[in-house]
Amino acid sequence: MIVGMKSVTKTSTVLKENYAKLLFAFVVAFSLIIVVRLIKLQIIEHNYYYTLSEKNRVRVVPSHSARGKIYDRNGVLIVRNKPTYTISIIPAEFLPDSEYVRRLSSLIDVPEEVIWQKYEKNKIPGYLPVPIKRRVDFSIVSQVVEHPDKFPGVISQVEPVRDYPLGKFAPHIIGYVGEISAPELRERYKEGLKAGDMVGKQGVERYFDNLLRGRDGAKFIEVSATGEIIGPIKDFRDIPPQNGADLVLTIDAKLQMAAESIFAVAPEGAFIVMDPNNGEILAAVSKPDFDQTIFTKPIAESTWARLNDPVTHPMLCRWYQGLYPPASPMKILAAAAAVDEGIANASSIMPQPCRGAMRYGDRYFFCWNTFGHGYLNMLEAIAQSCDIYFYQIAIKLGLDKWYDYTTKCFFGQPTGIELPFEASGLVPNRDYYNWRFGRRGWGRGVLLNLIIGQGEFLATPLQVAQFFAAIANRGIVWKPKIVKYIQPKLRHRIEIPSVIRGRLPFSQDAIKTVIDGMIRTCNEEWATGYGAHMDDILVAGKTGTAQNPHGADHAWFVAFADARQPEILVVVFVESGGSGGSWAFLAREFFDYYFHYWKFENQAQ
């Protein structure tokens, strides 16, 4: 037993001695490595690092990534990049002296106070370039490069800016790019953005900014104390930029150009072209619009003031951000609900004929035709857009059921299209009226306005398009989309799938009934939408006229063709345009181009 204990003690002593030797050897080896490194730095490479630390500086210059390109659905290039020069300052190297600031201000034509402000805001940290003026001439760049002693801490950079091969084209869809603002920087600083960065401001440029923008790289350059560039630094490896992903949109360039040309006669409004079988936007126009090409150079204050006109709002995209009473197109919703609720069918005639007005409670509700339509069945009421017929449907349907059907048709909520700041709309219900007017401050008569798309009911043209696309395809509600796929650099493309949001809350019998009424609207000479009639293409449509408290009535016209197997849907909305029927010819012109020219050319390719 004692022998065994002695053996264990001896073994433990040996291990401790070996451990001490190993630890000593490790410390000696580590110290030798440090000594060798110090000898290399202090003796062998002394002159290089002494010069670098005492006489020269390391300048980190960002290598700007190129934003991704944007194409139409057929590969037509819509947006690309072109190189331009930018004059920047490096606060850590810039001499905050009045003489130097005055000299730089005179050279680049930027007020001295602007240069001071940018310097003060960015001097901590002060090693990153701060853009002072973009898109400068090469003659200015050459002066900065050739005379670094006169412009200490001032550098020139090559930056890509947006270029538009098609010129002014789909500005509200594409959007534009601009320098990040202070509020945007506070909101998005976690994304690695910094002052002076260029970001998307509107349209897909904004919605997909993170993907389009890419990631900047960096170059490490040795410069003298006077700012003269010596060259790349030994042992420093540049970080290459990662260019942004490309976008392929659902729009067709030819259809977009046709839509812009056809809708040019309208002063203000929206024009949407959609594929009712998958929700893809093929073309869309908002008027008045703007020229996005002007953002490739400095903008005058007068130009910016016109873009932000508080009356015309040219920057507002009316087809998905504008809210309006959807007017008589909503009679289609009411008619379908009436069929499924057993209130009426295609041949039903309401008890009270249209005499131009109808009394309900203590007030009169009028029809647009003050002479009256007489007795009508449902299809005739749709075709002639008779208000009196639908007032009687409203009384039988009731507010709660109308609200239930309308919200199930996805009104009152964003469609989810890939564009920023989409409006939601408003579908008022009992709670809304109690909140706004009090329980005794309103009556059942409000529904007579709502049933014909008036009153407090508000929707965007895109929501109207989504609803009628579902009517056209017999019930499927597709989420509208504007992007087909995303193509990252050196990676597989990312498809944006078509998404079914749900189905309309109507039977096939109800949908067939309203489509028959819409066909009569465009194909009977006495109907309101006959202006869209075509001899060889069966068009189904619905007109509308929305009361406007600020001026003349707004005009609506919605149509799809061919009515039996729809391929395309058009929504026409003209602010202060009067009767919707007076603008039906715009849809006919577009259908004529689509079926007789565009489709023929595509089949031939």
Side-chain angles (χ1 to χ4, degrees):
M1 184 69 178
I2 294 174
V3 173
M5 292 180 62
K6 287 182 177 180
S7 176
V8 171
T9 303
K10 184 177 180 180
T11 302
S12 176
T13 303
V14 171
L15 288 174
K16 287 181 179 179
E17 291 176 355
N18 289 338
Y19 177 77
K21 291 178 180 179
L22 288 172
L23 180 61
F24 177 76
F26 175 78
V27 171
V28 171
F30 184 73
S31 299
L32 286 172
I33 292 173
I34 293 177
V35 170
V36 170
R37 182 60 178 165
L38 287 173
I39 292 173
K40 184 174 185 291
L41 293 175
Q42 297 291 334
I43 300 175
I44 299 175
E45 297 181 348
H46 168 77
N47 291 335
Y48 173 77
Y49 285 105
Y50 176 80
T51 303
L52 189 64
S53 61
E54 296 298 326
K55 296 184 178 180
N56 302 326
R57 296 188 178 114
V58 176
R59 179 179 292 172
V60 181
V61 180
S63 299
H64 295 284
S65 60
R67 285 182 76 86
K69 301 182 181 71
I70 301 177
Y71 300 86
D72 89 330
R73 65 186 299 117
N74 301 309
V76 175
L77 185 59
I78 300 173
V79 186
R80 62 187 177 190
N81 303 293
K82 66 179 181 181
T84 61
Y85 294 103
T86 296
I87 295 297
S88 303
I89 63 170
I90 298 177
E93 300 178 10
F94 184 71
L95 295 181
D97 183 274
S98 298
E99 180 183 349
Y100 290 113
V101 172
R102 190 180 306 112
R103 187 181 300 158
L104 179 61
S105 171
S106 175
L107 175 68
I108 63 176
D109 193 25
V110 171
E112 294 180 35
E113 55 269 22
V114 173
I115 299 175
W116 281 114
Q117 288 171 3
K118 292 198 174 187
Y119 170 76
E120 291 294 332
K121 287 182 179 180
N122 298 279
K123 64 182 179 181
I124 301 176
Y127 49 83
L128 292 176
V130 178
I132 301 298
K133 186 173 183 179
R134 289 183 160 93
R135 296 173 285 272
V136 299
D137 294 333
F138 181 74
S139 58
I140 294 176
V141 172
S142 61
Q143 292 189 53
V144 171
V145 173
E146 292 172 5
H147 305 285
D149 55 321
K150 294 183 178 180
F151 303 99
V154 181
I155 65 171
S156 65
Q157 298 171 272
V158 177
E159 283 189 318
V161 297
R162 287 317 221 181
D163 184 50
Y164 304 92
L166 302 181
K168 177 186 172 185
F169 177 86
H172 290 96
I173 296 174
I174 304 302
Y176 67 97
V177 173
E179 186 172 335
I180 190 168
S181 64
E184 289 173 324
L185 188 58
R186 286 193 295 269
E187 180 183 343
R188 302 179 60 186
Y189 74 96
K190 291 183 179 179
E191 300 174 25
L193 292 168
K194 58 188 183 299
D197 281 348
M198 303 296 286
V199 296
K201 296 285 189 176
Q202 195 175 11
V204 294
E205 289 275 24
R206 179 175 183 120
Y207 193 91
F208 292 95
D209 183 63
N210 280 335
L211 294 170
L212 286 165
R213 187 162 28 87
R215 184 176 299 174
D216 288 347
K219 291 182 179 180
F220 300 93
I221 300 174
E222 182 183 355
V223 297
S224 67
T226 60
E228 183 180 355
I229 296 176
I230 297 174
I233 301 175
K234 183 179 179 181
D235 295 334
F236 279 64
R237 182 175 296 177
D238 292 343
I239 302 172
Q242 298 178 18
N243 292 338
D246 296 336
L247 290 186
V248 177
L249 307 183
T250 61
I251 64 172
D252 180 285
K254 291 181 179 179
L255 294 181
Q256 178 69 28
M257 291 178 183
E260 292 179 3
S261 176
I262 289 170
F263 200 58
V265 297
E268 297 178 0
F271 191 98
I272 302 174
V273 182
M274 177 187 282
D275 184 337
N277 301 302
N278 56 23
E280 292 183 353
I281 303 296
L282 302 177
V285 182
S286 178
K287 293 286 297 293
D289 58 8
F290 61 95
D291 185 352
Q292 75 268 43
T293 65
I294 66 175
F295 292 98
T296 61
K297 48 192 171 184
I299 300 176
E301 290 186 8
S302 58
T303 302
W304 185 247
R306 287 196 299 273
L307 291 174
N308 290 276
D309 190 307
V311 177
T312 59
H313 301 287
M315 303 289 281
L316 175 73
C317 186
R318 284 160 165 79
W319 60 267
Y320 78 93
Q321 293 177 319
L323 289 173
Y324 311 93
S328 291
M330 292 302 98
K331 292 173 182 174
I332 297 301
L333 189 156
V339 172
D340 283 342
E341 290 294 324
I343 296 172
N345 56 39
S347 58
S348 295
I349 296 175
M350 287 291 135
Q352 186 171 335
C354 176
R355 303 299 184 198
M358 184 186 86
R359 184 179 180 121
Y360 184 71
D362 59 353
R363 59 171 290 193
Y364 281 93
F365 290 82
F366 296 91
C367 183
W368 68 269
N369 184 348
T370 56
F371 297 101
H373 294 104
Y375 286 102
L376 300 171
N377 62 30
M378 179 180 285
L379 301 187
E380 292 168 338
I382 291 173
Q384 297 202 42
S385 199
C386 178
D387 295 325
I388 303 301
Y389 188 96
F390 287 94
Y391 291 153
Q392 295 174 77
I393 287 179
I395 295 169
K396 295 181 180 181
L397 185 63
L399 178 60
D400 295 334
K401 285 186 177 178
W402 173 84
Y403 175 80
D404 186 52
Y405 275 109
T406 305
T407 53
K408 285 181 178 177
C409 291
F410 295 90
F411 286 100
Q413 55 185 290
T415 67
I417 193 169
E418 309 96 329
L419 289 167
F421 314 122
E422 182 185 6
S424 298
L426 173 64
V427 180
N429 59 8
R430 193 174 298 275
D431 292 337
Y432 170 84
Y433 285 112
N434 287 338
W435 165 78
R436 183 171 180 183
F437 301 110
R439 292 185 178 275
R440 297 180 181 274
W442 63 282
R444 291 185 298 172
V446 297
L447 184 56
L448 273 66
N449 282 327
L450 297 175
I451 205 82
I452 62 171
Q454 298 282 175
E456 293 78 12
F457 186 11
L458 297 174
T460 66
L462 182 61
Q463 290 171 331
V464 173
Q466 177 184 247
F467 171 73
F468 277 93
I471 291 290
N473 68 44
R474 276 58 176 178
I476 299 175
V477 181
W478 290 97
K479 172 187 170 183
K481 73 172 188 173
I482 199 72
V483 175
K484 285 187 74 70
Y485 63 85
I486 303 164
Q487 181 63 69
K489 302 300 181 185
L490 305 176
R491 289 171 53 193
H492 295 296
R493 74 186 191 185
I494 303 169
E495 299 283 348
I496 306 296
S498 296
V499 176
I500 296 176
R501 301 188 71 189
R503 296 191 65 88
L504 293 179
F506 306 126
S507 67
Q508 288 300 305
D509 180 50
I511 293 175
K512 179 183 181 302
T513 299
V514 297
I515 290 176
D516 288 343
M518 293 176 67
I519 290 173
R520 298 192 70 172
T521 299
C522 297
N523 294 280
E524 300 285 354
E525 292 187 16
W526 45 265
T528 57
Y530 190 70
H533 171 75
M534 301 179 70
D535 292 334
D536 58 338
I537 303 295
L538 187 63
V539 179
K542 183 70 190 77
T543 59
T545 305
Q547 293 178 354
N548 175 17
H550 307 292
D553 294 342
H554 300 318
W556 287 91
F557 184 71
V558 187
F560 52 85
D562 187 286
R564 299 305 181 190
Q565 291 184 322
E567 298 179 27
I568 195 155
L569 175 136
V570 171
V571 173
V572 180
F573 172 75
V574 181
E575 286 188 17
S576 304
S579 167
S582 63
W583 296 94
F585 75 95
L586 295 182
R588 184 193 68 233
E589 287 187 14
F590 190 87
F591 289 144
D592 179 55
Y593 173 76
Y594 176 85
F595 286 104
H596 298 142
Y597 297 93
W598 180 88
K599 194 172 178 181
F600 176 78
E601 289 178 355
N602 278 19
Q603 289 174 344
Q605 292 176 353

